[in-house]
Amino acid sequence: MTNVENYQIGLTTKALIPVNDPIHRTKVLDTAGEYMLSKTCKELLEEACIRELSTFNGSIAAVRKMFPYKQLTPLVISRSQAIIAFPTSSPNDYSCAWIFSSHVHTSHTLASVSSNSTVIHFKDETFITVKLSYYSLEKKLARAAVIRNYCLESQLFFLNLFVLSNALVYIRSIFWFRCVERKLKQASSILFFYS
């Protein structure tokens, strides 16, 4: 475990877990390793949202406006990269951990330790136990998947729109070139007629 203070949430972040320590407040699980930070989970999430020109509360409000998720709402950290995290409890609880859904290995995560604890398996074969029922975890993963699909679909829409707009620019330039060519021919025939 490494102590790092300049850690930034990204595509490799798997989970943010609060710790009860006088120096460190968050344990970050990343595909590159585990890190201990003095910032809270919420502070790290707020910084990540701000880098994407949003805020923690703004992202939650946008998701609530677009989807019927009023409680324990997934957080869209980066729409362009489809980075989505969901809370294990109320974000105001000190013990609230944040799980990044794209790293959860759904076919292995279906194991409950007890009625209120579940083992979450990640795609890199690591795992953690969280205080969350199997049903609640399943519901949170489904919500995050819906939002992730929305982010990816809108990216495809804008990519198609971009390709279409470039094609229109190309067509316009060809049309413009042919119009200019026609005008030049007319001008040269007029000059030829008067010479």
Side-chain angles (χ1 to χ4, degrees), residues 58-183:
S59 179
I60 294 287
V63 169
R64 287 180 178 165
K65 194 90 165 163
M66 296 292 295
F67 301 95
Y69 310 144
K70 303 302 176 208
Q71 293 181 332
L72 303 175
T73 308
L75 176 70
V76 177
I77 296 162
S78 172
R79 188 172 171 194
S80 62
Q81 295 178 313
I83 301 174
I84 296 148
F86 61 85
T88 57
S89 61
S90 169
N92 297 326
D93 284 350
Y94 178 77
S95 62
C96 176
W98 289 82
I99 310 299
F100 290 72
S101 60
S102 62
H103 291 281
V104 176
H105 198 307
T106 53
S107 63
H108 291 297
T109 298
L110 310 176
S112 287
V113 175
S114 67
S115 62
N116 65 349
S117 291
T118 305
V119 176
I120 297 178
H121 290 265
F122 295 106
K123 291 177 181 174
D124 64 357
E125 299 182 8
T126 59
F127 62 90
I128 59 169
T129 303
V130 292
K131 290 189 179 192
L132 193 62
S133 71
Y134 164 77
Y135 172 76
S136 183
L137 175 63
E138 195 174 52
K139 192 173 174 181
K140 290 169 191 294
L141 284 170
R143 287 178 173 188
V146 167
I147 295 168
R148 188 169 198 276
N149 287 341
Y150 175 80
C151 291
L152 294 173
E153 284 174 6
S154 61
Q155 284 178 4
L156 286 175
F157 172 77
F158 286 113
L159 179 63
N160 288 339
L161 194 61
F162 176 74
V163 169
L164 181 61
S165 68
N166 282 344
L168 288 173
V169 167
Y170 178 71
I171 291 167
R172 281 188 203 135
S173 66
I174 290 173
F175 179 74
W176 180 82
F177 179 74
R178 288 193 177 146
C179 287
V180 169
E181 189 178 46
R182 204 173 307 127
K183 296 281 185 193

